Amino acid sequence: MKYEFWFVVGSQFLYGDEVLETVEKRAKEMANELSGKLPYPLIYKVTAKTSKEISDVVKAANFDDSCAGIITWCHTFSPSKMWINGLKDLKKPYCHFATQYNEKIPNDEIDMDFMNLNQAAHGDREHGFIAARLRMPRKVIAGYWKRQEVQTRIASWMKSAVGVAFSKNLKVMRFGDNMRDVAVTEGDKVEVQTKLGWEVNTWAVGDLVKEMSVVTDKEIDALMAEYGEKYEIATDNIEAVRYQAREEIAIKKMLDRENCVAFTNTFQDLYGMEQLPGLASQHLMSEGYGYGGEGDWKVSAMTAIMKAMGENGNGASAFMEDYTYHLEEGKEYSLGAHMLEVCPSLASADKKPRIETHHLGIGMNEKDPARLVFEGKEGNAIVVSLVDMGGRLRLICQDIVCVKPIMEMPNLPVARVMWRAMPNLTTGVECWITAGGAHHTVLSYDVTTEQMKDFANMMDIEFVHITKDTTVEALEKELFLNDLAWKLK
Ligand code: MN
């Protein structure tokens, strides 16, 4: 889907045709120039002067799949009662861009005509009131439209809005159920579909095994060549690697046939398969598909959404699991990994991920599964977890700093990422556990906490952010108040 955003400019008839023509001309100029700077086109739609014009553009936006959101601005004053009916119907993400055509007040030129034409300072306040009064979820971005940091903020919001559009059409394919007895990977699929749009359904592992049996040697040869280009094949057990290629091709065919962009499986249900898909899942993730281990469909869907929000639709966002800690004083780190499935988009660029085969004791693997082994890159990142609190969804986001792993761990047969959680390891863990965050997360170097907050806001779900300044005491109070607020909503 090629997404675009619509620019809707507020005005009124009071000023006469000449002013309205100027507003329209300038709005088109701004939309065109911004389209060249932003990740998605901004299409000028209307200089709205009546309730009907606003309702019409909102209705059109709601039913146009390519429209991922609307951006409004009031060049002049635009009385807001005429916006009520339209805004009440709006189903798309909404950004109020409080900007101004001119950067500076022209000392000699300014008179009452200039003031009446250039009164965004006035018009945007009237416009902002009505959205506040209607309790509308919206993003307010203020600043001069030609300034880069202002454009960066609009770009960031656009990506969140695209995450929303992506989420509303997202289908998850589950092979097998959730891991037996696990609580945090469970959730209300009806509630999730109502809030986030996800269709989460199950397919038999037997269907996948059947699909695998008709994959041809030629198809496997082609994928093996791709593996050879992207990765270092560091095993003599080529048959095991070819088996992963067979699994990947079969999974991809089923996903594409059903328009699913995310999937789950579980080591407890591999009936008829020789290996848990490792390399297969890792390579599929690197192509933008979401994945969750142990049947965790929430993390699978969030992985796909955050990949879609990232650069080029496939940012460095990946399924992750908190595994073990290094608690040496002054060098406290978390070690993240999974039993196989870490996306190579996280890999540090200096070394190709290695394809290795090792014994895997967990699950029903008859043969040693092939997997990619690598170190995660350094940099600021976030970890994100969506949990079902019973009656509502909570999105938890923690700031982290990824480091080059401080040791080689030569006997660890999986990809690994090491990080320091904010505000520090132990307080960070106390906050995460207090909020009920899962052991599975999406780790992202691309998507920001502001984007996840905007996403939660647009989706009307709870957002909890653990930052360098968070204390357990303040967080407990916030969660207590959130609980009350969400019961009233
Ligand atoms: Mn897991």
Side-chain angles (χ1 to χ4, degrees):
M1 176 65 70
K2 286 213 181 309
Y3 292 111
E4 62 185 37
F5 289 79
W6 290 8
F7 195 33
V8 178
V9 179
S11 192
Q12 60 176 328
F13 287 117
L14 185 68
Y15 312 106
D17 290 344
E18 201 182 320
V19 165
L20 290 174
E21 278 164 28
T22 306
V23 169
E24 176 161 36
K25 198 174 107 231
R26 288 178 173 183
K28 279 182 183 162
E29 179 197 334
M30 290 164 73
N32 287 341
E33 193 170 326
L34 286 169
S35 290
K37 306 274 170 64
L38 297 169
Y40 299 94
L42 180 63
I43 313 293
Y44 166 77
K45 282 288 166 182
V46 66
T47 299
K49 304 159 295 287
T50 64
S51 182
K52 182 164 187 321
E53 281 177 319
I54 295 158
S55 290
D56 285 349
V57 75
V58 166
K59 282 182 206 161
N62 285 345
F63 287 94
D64 189 320
D65 286 341
S66 62
C67 175
I70 68 163
I71 297 179
T72 62
W73 168 54
C74 294
H75 191 309
T76 60
F77 195 77
S78 178
S80 275
K81 286 206 281 190
M82 71 186 191
W83 286 77
I84 294 173
N85 295 16
L87 288 179
K88 288 277 283 181
D89 286 339
L90 182 63
K91 301 279 185 207
K92 294 286 169 96
Y94 166 29
C95 172
H96 177 177
F97 186 24
T99 189
Q100 183 167 277
Y101 179 76
N102 55 303
E103 184 183 21
K104 294 172 183 158
I105 294 172
N107 182 36
D108 292 330
E109 191 192 321
I110 188 165
D111 56 14
M112 274 325 286
D113 284 344
F114 181 93
M115 295 260 274
N116 283 329
L117 176 62
N118 299 284
Q119 56 171 316
H122 183 176
D124 277 325
R125 281 172 164 73
E126 167 74 357
H127 190 61
F129 164 73
I130 204 63
R133 167 74 193 260
L134 295 173
R135 274 80 172 166
M136 293 190 65
R138 92 274 206 210
K139 181 80 175 179
V140 182
I141 296 175
Y144 184 51
W145 60 284
K146 288 193 182 186
R147 197 148 296 146
Q148 199 193 334
E149 55 266 33
V150 175
Q151 294 167 356
T152 302
R153 293 191 66 212
I154 297 174
S156 162
W157 174 81
M158 280 182 161
K159 289 178 185 177
S160 296
V162 163
V164 168
F166 189 85
S167 179
K168 294 265 169 87
N169 291 301
L170 188 146
K171 293 172 81 172
V172 184
M173 182 171 281
R174 304 170 69 220
F175 294 111
D177 202 347
N178 294 48
M179 181 180 166
R180 283 188 284 275
D181 293 327
V182 175
V184 77
T185 61
E186 289 286 359
D188 181 341
K189 299 193 200 74
V190 175
E191 176 67 11
V192 166
Q193 187 166 350
T194 309
K195 278 281 180 192
L196 308 177
W198 308 349
E199 295 174 54
V200 183
N201 289 299
T202 189
W203 274 259
V205 176
D207 289 338
L208 177 56
V209 172
K210 208 162 126 193
E211 191 73 48
M212 283 166 58
S213 72
V214 296
V215 173
T216 66
D217 281 341
K218 208 177 144 194
E219 288 172 303
I220 294 173
D221 291 344
L223 188 51
M224 286 295 288
E226 200 179 331
Y227 289 163
E229 263 172 42
K230 290 180 174 166
Y231 313 123
E232 182 192 341
I233 299 180
T235 176
D236 295 330
N237 190 354
I238 299 302
E239 274 317 299
V241 182
R242 290 184 69 86
Y243 193 81
Q244 290 283 334
R246 180 182 294 280
E247 290 180 324
E248 173 174 341
I249 293 160
I251 295 169
K252 185 172 174 5
K253 281 182 187 172
M254 287 185 68
L255 291 171
D256 292 350
R257 194 181 300 143
E258 300 290 344
N259 292 317
C260 293
V261 290
F263 71 105
T264 67
N265 56 18
T266 166
F267 63 86
Q268 283 173 335
D269 191 353
L270 297 178
Y271 197 84
M273 295 167 80
E274 292 175 3
Q275 302 177 22
L276 175 65
L279 169 61
S281 297
Q282 291 174 295
H283 191 244
L284 281 167
M285 282 188 268
S286 77
E287 300 204 316
Y289 293 94
Y291 173 78
E294 293 88 62
D296 191 341
W297 47 270
K298 294 200 302 297
V299 83
S300 175
M302 286 308 302
T303 304
I305 290 168
M306 289 172 67
K307 279 177 180 292
M309 280 164 67
E311 295 295 338
N312 306 317
N314 187 18
S317 301
F319 168 60
M320 184 50 61
E321 178 169 286
D322 287 76
Y323 239 106
T324 195
Y325 300 129
H326 186 74
L327 292 172
E328 184 186 352
E329 199 167 8
K331 289 187 192 169
E332 289 111 336
Y333 294 106
S334 294
L335 180 65
H338 204 253
M339 63 179 82
L340 298 175
E341 311 91 342
V342 181
C343 177
S345 67
L346 302 188
S348 131
D350 56 358
K351 223 170 145 194
K352 270 189 182 178
R354 291 158 55 88
I355 298 177
E356 300 181 12
T357 52
H358 299 276
H359 176 65
L360 176 63
I362 296 173
M364 310 189 297
N365 296 278
E366 293 166 28
K367 302 262 175 79
D368 294 350
R371 80 288 306 272
L372 289 167
V373 180
F374 56 87
E375 282 188 349
K377 56 187 176 186
E378 298 171 58
N380 291 333
I382 56 171
V383 282
V384 172
S385 171
L386 181 73
V387 292
D388 187 331
M389 295 301 290
R392 74 172 186 281
L393 297 163
R394 171 180 285 168
L395 190 70
I396 305 159
C397 187
Q398 183 166 36
D399 299 334
I400 65 170
V401 179
C402 295
V403 298
K404 181 175 168 55
I406 59 168
M407 54 194 81
E408 300 241 317
M409 300 173 277
N411 291 313
L412 183 68
V414 289
R416 69 293 301 268
V417 182
M418 198 171 253
W419 67 81
R420 193 172 62 247
M422 295 292 120
N424 57 58
L425 190 141
T426 45
T427 307
V429 168
E430 286 175 11
C431 289
W432 189 265
I433 288 174
T434 299
H439 55 286
H440 285 167
T441 59
V442 187
L443 185 151
S444 181
Y445 295 86
D446 281 347
V447 179
T448 64
T449 46
E450 185 176 3
Q451 285 173 316
M452 294 317 295
K453 180 170 78 66
D454 289 345
F455 176 83
N457 190 24
M458 293 174 204
M459 288 301 197
D460 191 29
I461 61 174
E462 183 187 358
F463 181 75
V464 174
H465 185 193
I466 303 166
T467 72
K468 66 177 176 40
D469 301 317
T470 304
T471 64
V472 175
E473 192 185 10
L475 181 70
E476 281 173 343
K477 195 168 171 191
E478 179 187 332
L479 296 175
F480 172 73
L481 293 175
N482 283 2
D483 225 24
L484 293 177
W486 282 91
K487 277 173 190 155
L488 293 173
K489 268 190 104 157

